């Protein structure tokens, strides 16, 4: 194998596959995903898959909203991908936390997402079995939920392939060199891949990939 691509994505978890999916959506199909084992076999397969809107950042909240909309479209195309919108109730045990809920609810309204700051009586009415004597209120998000990370990644992978992206499993990157042309040469057990751009989406192995080009990523893996 001595293939040439514009973009090489290292890592076939949800981040790498999502990158490939969105490149294909924008018409960039000259892309290869290189996964060392099977798709989602790194961190993705055992991720919690939480789907909150709650965030302290306006941009992060917009990203959460976009992701949930994307997953709903994927489910329409591919069937069940393990998405469950159950709703969530966050609890405020002090006044500062309740003030935070009001701020987050205000941000949510700005992007068209409905969150409700609830009084103690409203919480008791929604969940009569809850002990509420020490609460100041709560925040209800009816579209909170969770999803199966492996199923949603495979759905995006199917669409990426349909858009022309190449996905190679069992293709660990062993080394990366810079050619005189300025392109990157990635060595795999099956041969070399040449790329103009590399995306490091290797998750907890990202420091290993970065070290191949003399860079350091200051993260370390820890037992959950």
């Amino acid at each position: 194998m001595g293939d040439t691509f514009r973009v090489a994505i290292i890592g076939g978890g949800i981040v790498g596959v999502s990158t490939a999916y969105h490149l294909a959506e924008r018409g960039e199909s000259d892309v290869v995903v290189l996964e060392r084992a099977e798709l989602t076999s790194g961190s993705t397969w055992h991720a919690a898959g939480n789907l909150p809107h709650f965030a302290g950042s306006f941009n992060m909240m917009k990203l959460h909203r976009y992701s949930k909309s994307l997953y709903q479209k994927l489910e329409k195309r591919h069937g069940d991908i393990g998405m469950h919108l159950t709703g969530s109730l966050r609890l405020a045990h002090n006044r500062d936390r309740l003030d935070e809920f009001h701020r987050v609810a205000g941000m949510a309204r700005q992007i068209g997402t409905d969150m409700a700051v609830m009084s103690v009586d409203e919480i008791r009415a929604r969940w009569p079995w809850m002990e509420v004597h020490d609460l100041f209120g709560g925040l209800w998000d009816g579209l909170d939920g969770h999803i199966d990370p492996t199923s949603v990644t495979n759905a995006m992978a199917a669409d990426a392939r349909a858009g022309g992206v190449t996905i190679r499993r069992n293709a660990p990157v062993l080394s990366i060199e810079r050619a005189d042309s300025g392109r990157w040469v990635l060595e795999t057990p099956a041969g070399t891949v040449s790329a103009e751009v590399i995306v490091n989406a290797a998750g907890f192995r990202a420091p290993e990939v970065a070290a191949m080009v003399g860079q350091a990523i200051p993260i370390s893996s820890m037992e959950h």
Side-chain angles (χ1 to χ4, degrees):
M1 180 176 69
D3 294 337
T4 299
F5 297 90
R6 197 174 94 76
V7 181
I9 300 169
I10 304 173
I14 194 167
V15 174
V17 172
S18 176
T19 302
Y21 169 89
H22 285 91
L23 284 171
E25 282 275 288
R26 286 156 177 76
E28 180 57 76
S29 61
D30 193 12
V31 177
V32 63
V33 177
L34 300 172
E35 163 53 40
R36 65 178 287 110
E38 296 291 338
L39 296 184
T40 78
S41 62
S43 298
T44 298
W45 72 268
H46 59 80
N50 292 329
L51 297 178
H53 284 115
F54 188 92
S57 159
F58 186 73
N59 286 330
M60 283 302 299
M61 186 176 286
K62 288 194 292 184
L63 184 59
H64 288 319
R65 185 171 185 265
Y66 167 78
S67 297
K68 200 167 298 184
S69 174
L70 170 62
Y71 300 157
Q72 289 171 321
K73 288 193 297 183
L74 289 170
E75 192 162 61
K76 288 181 181 178
R77 286 202 293 268
H78 297 281
D80 182 19
I81 57 173
M83 184 166 66
H84 305 277
L85 302 182
T86 60
S88 71
L89 179 61
R90 297 173 187 269
L91 305 177
H93 288 85
N94 55 60
R95 182 62 62 182
D96 287 343
R97 184 66 162 163
L98 188 61
D99 288 344
E100 180 188 13
F101 288 170
H102 279 287
R103 173 179 175 271
V104 170
M107 289 196 299
R109 285 193 295 272
Q110 292 297 312
I111 65 169
T113 297
D114 187 26
M115 287 186 181
V117 178
M118 304 182 72
S119 69
V120 172
D121 288 341
E122 288 171 326
I123 292 173
R124 184 185 290 112
R126 181 173 289 276
W127 194 252
W129 302 275
M130 184 179 295
E131 179 57 67
V132 298
H133 75 278
D134 59 343
L135 297 181
F136 284 72
L139 181 66
W140 169 254
D141 179 1
L143 293 178
D144 207 332
H146 56 92
I147 197 167
D148 172 36
T150 295
S151 294
V152 71
T153 301
N154 284 320
M156 283 193 288
D159 284 357
R161 288 189 184 98
V165 170
T166 299
I167 297 179
R168 291 191 173 140
R169 300 168 299 159
N170 300 304
V173 174
L174 305 176
S175 66
I176 304 173
E177 302 290 341
R178 196 72 178 264
D180 292 340
S181 64
R183 295 179 64 86
W184 297 100
V185 179
L186 297 78
E187 190 69 31
T188 78
T192 60
V193 170
S194 171
E196 180 183 337
V197 177
I198 295 175
V199 177
N200 183 352
F204 63 82
R205 291 186 176 273
E208 298 174 31
V209 173
M212 295 178 186
V213 294
Q215 299 296 315
I217 297 179
I219 64 172
S220 59
S221 300
M222 301 181 69
E223 186 176 0
H224 195 285

